[in-house]
mmCIF file of all heavy atoms in Angstrom:
data_model
loop_
_atom_site.group_PDB
_atom_site.id
_atom_site.type_symbol
_atom_site.label_atom_id
_atom_site.label_comp_id
_atom_site.label_asym_id
_atom_site.label_seq_id
_atom_site.Cartn_x
_atom_site.Cartn_y
_atom_site.Cartn_z
ATOM 1 N N SER A 13 10.615 4.531 -6.022
ATOM 2 C CA SER A 13 9.415 4.308 -5.208
ATOM 3 C C SER A 13 8.425 5.430 -5.453
ATOM 4 O O SER A 13 8.828 6.580 -5.697
ATOM 5 C CB SER A 13 9.784 4.287 -3.727
ATOM 6 O OG SER A 13 8.612 4.273 -2.936
ATOM 7 N N ASP A 14 7.146 5.091 -5.337
ATOM 8 C CA ASP A 14 6.135 6.146 -5.386
ATOM 9 C C ASP A 14 6.231 7.027 -4.145
ATOM 10 O O ASP A 14 5.679 8.130 -4.108
ATOM 11 C CB ASP A 14 4.722 5.555 -5.569
ATOM 12 C CG ASP A 14 4.556 4.201 -4.895
ATOM 13 O OD1 ASP A 14 5.414 3.829 -4.067
ATOM 14 O OD2 ASP A 14 3.567 3.505 -5.188
ATOM 15 N N ASN A 15 6.954 6.568 -3.123
ATOM 16 C CA ASN A 15 7.220 7.412 -1.954
ATOM 17 C C ASN A 15 8.253 8.482 -2.250
ATOM 18 O O ASN A 15 8.419 9.425 -1.472
ATOM 19 C CB ASN A 15 7.765 6.569 -0.795
ATOM 20 C CG ASN A 15 6.657 5.988 0.050
ATOM 21 O OD1 ASN A 15 5.564 6.529 0.107
ATOM 22 N ND2 ASN A 15 6.944 4.879 0.700
ATOM 23 N N PHE A 65 -0.225 8.370 11.047
ATOM 24 C CA PHE A 65 0.878 9.027 10.329
ATOM 25 C C PHE A 65 1.370 8.227 9.123
ATOM 26 O O PHE A 65 1.701 8.778 8.091
ATOM 27 C CB PHE A 65 2.064 9.264 11.271
ATOM 28 C CG PHE A 65 1.803 10.306 12.319
ATOM 29 C CD1 PHE A 65 1.668 9.946 13.652
ATOM 30 C CD2 PHE A 65 1.697 11.638 11.977
ATOM 31 C CE1 PHE A 65 1.428 10.914 14.623
ATOM 32 C CE2 PHE A 65 1.454 12.615 12.935
ATOM 33 C CZ PHE A 65 1.316 12.244 14.269
ATOM 34 N N GLY A 66 1.479 6.898 9.267
ATOM 35 C CA GLY A 66 2.139 6.131 8.199
ATOM 36 C C GLY A 66 1.552 4.746 8.018
ATOM 37 O O GLY A 66 0.674 4.308 8.788
ATOM 38 N N GLY A 67 2.073 4.064 7.000
ATOM 39 C CA GLY A 67 1.519 2.770 6.617
ATOM 40 C C GLY A 67 1.884 1.644 7.570
ATOM 41 O O GLY A 67 1.060 0.749 7.822
ATOM 42 N N THR A 68 3.092 1.663 8.099
ATOM 43 C CA THR A 68 3.469 0.620 9.049
ATOM 44 C C THR A 68 2.570 0.714 10.279
ATOM 45 O O THR A 68 2.040 -0.288 10.778
ATOM 46 C CB THR A 68 4.961 0.762 9.436
ATOM 47 O OG1 THR A 68 5.748 0.619 8.250
ATOM 48 C CG2 THR A 68 5.383 -0.273 10.455
ATOM 49 N N GLY A 69 2.358 1.935 10.738
ATOM 50 C CA GLY A 69 1.477 2.163 11.892
ATOM 51 C C GLY A 69 0.068 1.691 11.612
ATOM 52 O O GLY A 69 -0.582 1.080 12.468
ATOM 53 N N ALA A 70 -0.421 1.979 10.403
ATOM 54 C CA ALA A 70 -1.785 1.564 10.050
ATOM 55 C C ALA A 70 -1.894 0.045 10.103
ATOM 56 O O ALA A 70 -2.841 -0.514 10.673
ATOM 57 C CB ALA A 70 -2.145 2.077 8.653
ATOM 58 N N ASN A 71 -0.906 -0.635 9.526
ATOM 59 C CA ASN A 71 -0.945 -2.106 9.528
ATOM 60 C C ASN A 71 -0.874 -2.662 10.946
ATOM 61 O O ASN A 71 -1.671 -3.520 11.342
ATOM 62 C CB ASN A 71 0.233 -2.665 8.721
ATOM 63 C CG ASN A 71 0.020 -2.526 7.220
ATOM 64 O OD1 ASN A 71 -1.116 -2.384 6.756
ATOM 65 N ND2 ASN A 71 1.095 -2.572 6.459
ATOM 66 N N THR A 90 6.354 -12.252 0.884
ATOM 67 C CA THR A 90 6.799 -10.960 0.361
ATOM 68 C C THR A 90 6.093 -9.770 1.000
ATOM 69 O O THR A 90 6.392 -8.618 0.668
ATOM 70 C CB THR A 90 6.507 -10.903 -1.158
ATOM 71 O OG1 THR A 90 5.145 -11.325 -1.374
ATOM 72 C CG2 THR A 90 7.441 -11.788 -1.951
ATOM 73 N N ALA A 91 5.148 -10.036 1.918
ATOM 74 C CA ALA A 91 4.322 -8.943 2.463
ATOM 75 C C ALA A 91 5.170 -7.896 3.181
ATOM 76 O O ALA A 91 6.138 -8.231 3.875
ATOM 77 C CB ALA A 91 3.294 -9.514 3.436
ATOM 78 N N HIS A 92 4.751 -6.654 3.039
ATOM 79 C CA HIS A 92 5.434 -5.554 3.737
ATOM 80 C C HIS A 92 5.482 -5.837 5.227
ATOM 81 O O HIS A 92 6.509 -5.620 5.874
ATOM 82 C CB HIS A 92 4.673 -4.250 3.457
ATOM 83 C CG HIS A 92 5.460 -3.010 3.726
ATOM 84 N ND1 HIS A 92 5.402 -2.337 4.927
ATOM 85 C CD2 HIS A 92 6.333 -2.323 2.960
ATOM 86 C CE1 HIS A 92 6.189 -1.267 4.874
ATOM 87 N NE2 HIS A 92 6.778 -1.238 3.689
ATOM 88 N N ILE A 93 4.389 -6.367 5.787
ATOM 89 C CA ILE A 93 4.389 -6.641 7.232
ATOM 90 C C ILE A 93 5.429 -7.698 7.597
ATOM 91 O O ILE A 93 5.904 -7.760 8.723
ATOM 92 C CB ILE A 93 2.997 -7.049 7.782
ATOM 93 C CG1 ILE A 93 2.483 -8.333 7.139
ATOM 94 C CG2 ILE A 93 1.998 -5.943 7.659
ATOM 95 C CD1 ILE A 93 1.267 -8.929 7.887
ATOM 96 N N ASP A 96 9.317 -5.677 5.630
ATOM 97 C CA ASP A 96 9.723 -4.273 5.612
ATOM 98 C C ASP A 96 9.241 -3.461 6.802
ATOM 99 O O ASP A 96 9.156 -2.236 6.718
ATOM 100 C CB ASP A 96 9.237 -3.614 4.305
ATOM 101 C CG ASP A 96 10.235 -3.844 3.172
ATOM 102 O OD1 ASP A 96 11.441 -3.746 3.444
ATOM 103 O OD2 ASP A 96 9.807 -4.141 2.052
ATOM 104 N N GLU A 97 8.879 -4.129 7.876
ATOM 105 C CA GLU A 97 8.384 -3.351 9.015
ATOM 106 C C GLU A 97 9.197 -3.637 10.278
ATOM 107 O O GLU A 97 8.730 -3.440 11.399
ATOM 108 C CB GLU A 97 6.866 -3.571 9.196
ATOM 109 C CG GLU A 97 6.120 -3.071 7.951
ATOM 110 C CD GLU A 97 4.611 -3.022 8.017
ATOM 111 O OE1 GLU A 97 4.021 -3.474 9.010
ATOM 112 O OE2 GLU A 97 4.025 -2.522 7.037
ATOM 113 N N SER A 145 -1.901 -7.858 0.633
ATOM 114 C CA SER A 145 -1.616 -6.503 0.151
ATOM 115 C C SER A 145 -2.247 -6.311 -1.209
ATOM 116 O O SER A 145 -2.143 -7.174 -2.082
ATOM 117 C CB SER A 145 -0.102 -6.280 0.038
ATOM 118 O OG SER A 145 0.505 -6.548 1.272
ATOM 119 N N GLN A 146 -2.915 -5.188 -1.369
ATOM 120 C CA GLN A 146 -3.609 -4.867 -2.619
ATOM 121 C C GLN A 146 -3.251 -3.434 -2.986
ATOM 122 O O GLN A 146 -3.727 -2.523 -2.329
ATOM 123 C CB GLN A 146 -5.124 -5.047 -2.413
ATOM 124 C CG GLN A 146 -5.995 -4.665 -3.561
ATOM 125 C CD GLN A 146 -6.066 -5.690 -4.679
ATOM 126 O OE1 GLN A 146 -5.044 -6.307 -5.023
ATOM 127 N NE2 GLN A 146 -7.208 -5.863 -5.282
ATOM 128 N N CYS A 147 -2.381 -3.190 -3.988
ATOM 129 C CA CYS A 147 -1.626 -4.126 -4.817
ATOM 130 C C CYS A 147 -0.633 -4.916 -3.962
ATOM 131 O O CYS A 147 -0.285 -4.474 -2.872
ATOM 132 C CB CYS A 147 -0.786 -3.351 -5.828
ATOM 133 S SG CYS A 147 -1.699 -2.096 -6.683
ATOM 134 N N THR A 148 -0.145 -6.011 -4.500
ATOM 135 C CA THR A 148 0.873 -6.746 -3.770
ATOM 136 C C THR A 148 2.217 -6.032 -3.909
ATOM 137 O O THR A 148 2.387 -5.140 -4.734
ATOM 138 C CB THR A 148 1.044 -8.175 -4.321
ATOM 139 O OG1 THR A 148 1.699 -8.084 -5.597
ATOM 140 C CG2 THR A 148 -0.278 -8.891 -4.459
ATOM 141 N N GLU A 149 3.165 -6.504 -3.120
ATOM 142 C CA GLU A 149 4.521 -5.942 -3.176
ATOM 143 C C GLU A 149 5.221 -6.315 -4.476
ATOM 144 O O GLU A 149 6.287 -5.797 -4.785
ATOM 145 C CB GLU A 149 5.342 -6.435 -1.977
ATOM 146 C CG GLU A 149 4.905 -5.863 -0.640
ATOM 147 C CD GLU A 149 3.599 -6.438 -0.096
ATOM 148 O OE1 GLU A 149 3.027 -7.345 -0.704
ATOM 149 O OE2 GLU A 149 3.159 -5.938 0.959
ATOM 150 N N ASP A 176 -3.659 -4.681 3.420
ATOM 151 C CA ASP A 176 -2.693 -3.587 3.378
ATOM 152 C C ASP A 176 -2.910 -2.868 2.048
ATOM 153 O O ASP A 176 -2.434 -3.303 1.007
ATOM 154 C CB ASP A 176 -1.268 -4.153 3.482
ATOM 155 C CG ASP A 176 -0.203 -3.058 3.342
ATOM 156 O OD1 ASP A 176 -0.553 -1.931 2.947
ATOM 157 O OD2 ASP A 176 0.977 -3.351 3.608
ATOM 158 N N GLY A 177 -3.663 -1.780 2.129
ATOM 159 C CA GLY A 177 -4.016 -1.051 0.907
ATOM 160 C C GLY A 177 -3.144 0.184 0.704
ATOM 161 O O GLY A 177 -3.649 1.234 0.323
ATOM 162 N N ALA A 178 -1.850 0.030 0.935
ATOM 163 C CA ALA A 178 -0.950 1.166 0.703
ATOM 164 C C ALA A 178 -1.111 1.668 -0.735
ATOM 165 O O ALA A 178 -0.950 2.855 -1.011
ATOM 166 C CB ALA A 178 0.498 0.755 0.968
ATOM 167 N N ARG A 179 -1.438 0.732 -1.649
ATOM 168 C CA ARG A 179 -1.661 1.112 -3.066
ATOM 169 C C ARG A 179 -3.060 0.693 -3.531
ATOM 170 O O ARG A 179 -3.239 0.236 -4.657
ATOM 171 C CB ARG A 179 -0.578 0.478 -3.948
ATOM 172 C CG ARG A 179 0.802 0.941 -3.605
ATOM 173 C CD ARG A 179 1.871 0.508 -4.596
ATOM 174 N NE ARG A 179 3.151 1.039 -4.185
ATOM 175 C CZ ARG A 179 3.992 0.438 -3.333
ATOM 176 N NH1 ARG A 179 3.678 -0.743 -2.829
ATOM 177 N NH2 ARG A 179 5.135 1.009 -2.995
ATOM 178 N N SER A 204 -5.917 -0.946 5.664
ATOM 179 C CA SER A 204 -4.988 0.191 5.744
ATOM 180 C C SER A 204 -5.115 0.917 4.410
ATOM 181 O O SER A 204 -4.790 0.348 3.365
ATOM 182 C CB SER A 204 -3.537 -0.283 5.898
ATOM 183 O OG SER A 204 -3.355 -1.011 7.077
ATOM 184 N N ALA A 208 0.040 8.325 1.075
ATOM 185 C CA ALA A 208 1.337 8.907 0.693
ATOM 186 C C ALA A 208 1.776 8.482 -0.704
ATOM 187 O O ALA A 208 2.364 9.272 -1.448
ATOM 188 C CB ALA A 208 2.393 8.521 1.727
ATOM 189 N N LYS A 209 1.507 7.239 -1.074
ATOM 190 C CA LYS A 209 1.997 6.747 -2.374
ATOM 191 C C LYS A 209 1.160 7.266 -3.535
ATOM 192 O O LYS A 209 1.506 7.087 -4.689
ATOM 193 C CB LYS A 209 2.013 5.218 -2.378
ATOM 194 C CG LYS A 209 3.047 4.673 -1.416
ATOM 195 C CD LYS A 209 2.952 3.179 -1.312
ATOM 196 C CE LYS A 209 4.095 2.628 -0.497
ATOM 197 N NZ LYS A 209 4.129 3.176 0.879
ATOM 198 N N GLU A 216 -2.138 8.014 6.484
ATOM 199 C CA GLU A 216 -2.852 6.827 6.030
ATOM 200 C C GLU A 216 -4.079 6.688 6.933
ATOM 201 O O GLU A 216 -4.186 7.359 7.960
ATOM 202 C CB GLU A 216 -1.975 5.579 6.140
ATOM 203 C CG GLU A 216 -0.536 5.755 5.661
ATOM 204 C CD GLU A 216 -0.304 5.519 4.168
ATOM 205 O OE1 GLU A 216 -0.730 4.482 3.660
ATOM 206 O OE2 GLU A 216 0.313 6.389 3.518
ATOM 207 N N TRP A 315 15.510 -6.000 -5.808
ATOM 208 C CA TRP A 315 14.523 -6.740 -5.022
ATOM 209 C C TRP A 315 15.050 -8.108 -4.625
ATOM 210 O O TRP A 315 14.725 -8.643 -3.594
ATOM 211 C CB TRP A 315 13.223 -6.868 -5.827
ATOM 212 C CG TRP A 315 12.018 -6.656 -4.989
ATOM 213 C CD1 TRP A 315 11.054 -7.574 -4.731
ATOM 214 C CD2 TRP A 315 11.660 -5.472 -4.282
ATOM 215 N NE1 TRP A 315 10.108 -7.017 -3.891
ATOM 216 C CE2 TRP A 315 10.458 -5.735 -3.593
ATOM 217 C CE3 TRP A 315 12.251 -4.204 -4.135
ATOM 218 C CZ2 TRP A 315 9.829 -4.787 -2.796
ATOM 219 C CZ3 TRP A 315 11.619 -3.265 -3.342
ATOM 220 C CH2 TRP A 315 10.438 -3.562 -2.681
ATOM 221 N N ARG A 323 13.279 -3.532 -8.919
ATOM 222 C CA ARG A 323 11.916 -2.977 -8.963
ATOM 223 C C ARG A 323 11.969 -1.531 -9.445
ATOM 224 O O ARG A 323 12.730 -0.724 -8.927
ATOM 225 C CB ARG A 323 11.298 -3.001 -7.560
ATOM 226 C CG ARG A 323 9.872 -2.512 -7.546
ATOM 227 C CD ARG A 323 9.346 -2.314 -6.133
ATOM 228 N NE ARG A 323 9.817 -1.062 -5.551
ATOM 229 C CZ ARG A 323 9.308 -0.505 -4.454
ATOM 230 N NH1 ARG A 323 8.331 -1.108 -3.804
ATOM 231 N NH2 ARG A 323 9.776 0.632 -3.968
ATOM 232 N N MET A 325 9.381 1.692 -9.895
ATOM 233 C CA MET A 325 8.034 2.175 -9.570
ATOM 234 C C MET A 325 7.769 3.486 -10.306
ATOM 235 O O MET A 325 8.649 4.350 -10.385
ATOM 236 C CB MET A 325 7.894 2.470 -8.070
ATOM 237 C CG MET A 325 8.045 1.310 -7.134
ATOM 238 S SD MET A 325 6.825 0.017 -7.308
ATOM 239 C CE MET A 325 5.323 0.799 -6.751
HETATM 240 C C1 LIG B 1 2.821 -2.614 0.667
HETATM 241 C C2 LIG B 1 3.192 -1.526 1.628
HETATM 242 N N1 LIG B 1 2.539 -1.444 2.780
HETATM 243 C C3 LIG B 1 2.770 -0.463 3.658
HETATM 244 C C4 LIG B 1 3.727 0.504 3.396
HETATM 245 C C5 LIG B 1 3.822 1.634 4.358
HETATM 246 O O1 LIG B 1 4.990 1.964 4.845
HETATM 247 P P1 LIG B 1 5.384 3.289 5.647
HETATM 248 O O2 LIG B 1 5.365 2.912 7.079
HETATM 249 O O3 LIG B 1 6.711 3.585 5.122
HETATM 250 O O4 LIG B 1 4.375 4.383 5.356
HETATM 251 C C6 LIG B 1 4.489 0.425 2.232
HETATM 252 C C7 LIG B 1 5.568 1.397 1.960
HETATM 253 O O5 LIG B 1 6.472 1.219 1.233
HETATM 254 C C8 LIG B 1 4.206 -0.627 1.306
HETATM 255 O O6 LIG B 1 4.878 -0.737 0.163
#
Side-chain angles (χ1 to χ4, degrees):
S13 171
D14 33 14
N15 273 334
F65 291 110
T68 299
N71 285 339
T90 48
H92 198 266
I93 61 167
D96 275 319
E97 298 188 355
S145 304
Q146 176 79 321
C147 312
T148 72
E149 290 74 4
D176 176 348
R179 298 189 178 87
S204 298
K209 293 174 173 59
E216 316 273 309
W315 222 243
R323 183 190 79 166
M325 297 297 292

